[in-house]
Amino acid sequence: MTISGPCNAPDVVDVVALGESMVTFLPSQPGRLADVPSFDRAIGGAESNLACALAAAGHTVRWVSRVGADAFGNHLTDTIGEYGVDVSAVHRDPARPTGIYFRTAGDRSTDAHEVAYYRAGSAASAMTVDNVDPVAVRAGRILHLSGITAALSEGCLALLRELTTRRPGRPPVSFDVNHRAGLWQDTDGPQVLLELARGADIVFVGEDEAEEAWGVTGGPEAIREALQEPGVLVVKQGARGATLFRHPAGSRAAGAMGVPPLERSREWGRAGADGTPQAPGCAPHPPAATPSVEQPSTFVPALNVDVVAPTGAGDAFAAGFLSATLRGLPLSVRLRHGHLWAAATLTAPGDLAPPPTRDHADRLAALDDDAWGRLRLGPGWTQAAQRAEEEVRTP
């Protein structure tokens, strides 16, 4: 079955994010899971984290998923909806539960960090090509996916393969590799992730996960050599920064989609020459005359941050980058917005944190290189800036 949608579908949004969200239980104090006496309830999920951050920043966002017809499902849809995310395309499954997980307070990269997942057989793992609303999925200027969803079940993998297949009519696809070795039941996971990434238009991948999943060493250039198809590739380099590679429209990436550059199909808008999605519509645009060579890479150093917890920072980075992409900002500024949104989450204890206001982020992103390098952000920096802005506006 091929997912497709009619022209002028209702409720077109900036971003559609498809994937599983779970109820998260965070420890009330440090220690092993066996020793923690109580937990605070929150939510967690790569795609819903991104959706909530974008909605909090004023973008229109839809989350597409499945949750159980249970209290935890209620909590997820209520909480995500309170951020301003459209949850009308979330299906309630009476036969399967909502996923949950418990984690300790440490960094997930250390041996001391513990995570206990209870997601096997979850409602979200039952997503398939046949039970996901095609109009809701396609009605976005960007469709955001992650590799986590592909690992949940064969049905989820088939769905992501369909959504990342290059054909006229699909919206620009953003894909966060999000390699989680523990989720894959066989050794095909890395190859599957590479296959899916090659079908996307914007790809986010960490330098470390590219080495772990694909054995690619040698830095961002080696990753680009292994992953040439995406029009935009963002290689995250941890505390050092991030490097962006771009094919302009008319390049190998656009040609691989089977549609002329800048053309808007009968159903949905295409990405512009700078990677910015165009407004959906039915009137096709003529192809633009653009070069067919790879543009020089763009590197932007990360910020100095007093880290509270690293969980969710990658999702926030992707959200900040996509927000700036939707606004048509320059490539280096898109990376700076990614770093700023990641810094908001790094300086907060949970997976989700309020992003900086648009005005504040724009001012910081406009700093010269020296000032950007001197900038240091600590816990509460976004809230302090928001309070200061409110005081200025108050007569």
Side-chain angles (χ1 to χ4, degrees):
M1 175 181 177
T2 298
I3 292 182
S4 61
C7 184
N8 290 330
D11 301 325
V12 172
V13 296
D14 289 334
V15 176
V16 173
L18 180 147
E20 181 175 36
S21 188
M22 294 178 289
V23 175
T24 310
F25 290 94
L26 307 175
S28 58
Q29 63 186 47
R32 301 184 309 155
L33 286 179
D35 301 328
V36 174
S38 61
F39 296 81
D40 296 319
R41 186 179 63 178
I43 64 171
E47 300 83 5
S48 60
N49 286 347
L50 177 138
C52 290
L54 284 168
H59 292 283
T60 55
V61 189
R62 175 177 297 122
W63 176 49
V64 178
S65 189
R66 292 171 70 90
V67 299
D70 51 33
F72 287 148
N74 293 340
H75 177 64
L76 282 177
T77 54
D78 290 348
T79 302
I80 295 171
E82 287 171 0
Y83 277 87
V85 176
D86 174 7
V87 295
S88 62
V90 178
H91 183 79
R92 306 304 295 269
D93 190 330
R96 297 175 180 84
T98 303
I100 64 173
Y101 74 100
F102 297 78
R103 68 174 175 86
T104 53
D107 184 337
R108 72 171 63 194
S109 66
T110 67
D111 292 336
H113 181 73
E114 295 177 80
V115 181
Y117 288 102
Y118 299 89
R119 74 195 310 178
S122 69
S125 70
M127 285 189 292
T128 69
V129 171
D130 295 320
N131 65 21
V132 169
D133 181 355
V135 175
V137 171
R138 292 299 191 189
R141 296 175 64 197
I142 293 175
L143 170 61
H144 181 75
L145 309 168
S146 94
I148 294 173
T149 306
L152 298 181
S153 68
E154 288 299 321
C156 285
L157 174 55
L159 175 62
L160 258 66
R161 279 178 166 150
E162 168 60 32
L163 294 174
T164 55
T165 297
R166 297 188 186 276
R167 60 167 54 91
R170 79 169 198 188
V173 172
S174 164
F175 182 73
D176 194 336
V177 172
N178 262 327
H179 177 237
R180 301 286 186 268
L183 286 177
W184 293 96
Q185 300 302 311
D186 53 45
T187 58
D188 293 336
Q191 185 59 38
V192 168
L193 293 174
L194 188 60
E195 167 199 333
L196 296 173
R198 284 173 171 162
D201 302 298
I202 301 171
V203 171
F204 303 94
V205 63
E207 190 175 29
D208 54 348
E209 66 181 341
E211 180 176 358
E212 179 185 0
W214 305 323
V216 177
T217 58
E221 289 75 17
I223 297 172
R224 181 49 158 176
E225 186 62 29
L227 189 53
Q228 299 181 21
E229 293 80 2
V232 173
L233 172 66
V234 178
V235 179
K236 297 175 290 183
Q237 299 167 262
R240 285 173 292 167
T243 299
L244 181 150
F245 299 89
R246 180 177 70 93
H247 297 313
S251 68
R252 291 171 290 176
M257 293 180 198
V259 294
L262 284 182
E263 178 185 8
R264 293 187 296 179
S265 73
R266 291 192 66 254
E267 286 86 14
W268 308 113
R270 293 305 314 152
D274 65 348
T276 303
Q278 304 300 296
C282 293
H285 275 204
T290 53
S292 59
V293 297
E294 178 88 349
Q295 297 299 290
S297 62
T298 301
F299 173 79
V300 171
L303 292 159
N304 297 308
V305 177
D306 297 326
V307 177
V308 173
T311 309
D315 307 328
F317 180 96
F321 184 91
L322 293 182
S323 174
T325 297
L326 287 160
R327 297 171 59 199
L329 300 182
L331 300 178
S332 61
V333 178
R334 299 180 195 188
L335 290 174
R336 283 194 170 191
H337 276 265
H339 288 316
L340 286 164
W341 287 41
T345 297
L346 287 168
T347 53
D351 293 14
L352 270 171
T357 64
R358 182 170 295 186
D359 288 346
H360 188 205
D362 284 345
R363 286 197 299 273
L364 295 181
L367 293 173
D368 61 41
D369 290 344
D370 288 340
W372 177 265
R374 294 193 303 270
L375 191 62
R376 188 174 192 91
L377 302 174
W381 69 273
T382 56
Q383 295 91 326
Q386 186 171 1
R387 287 194 297 270
E389 291 176 0
E390 291 172 351
E391 290 173 0
V392 169
R393 290 194 298 267
T394 301

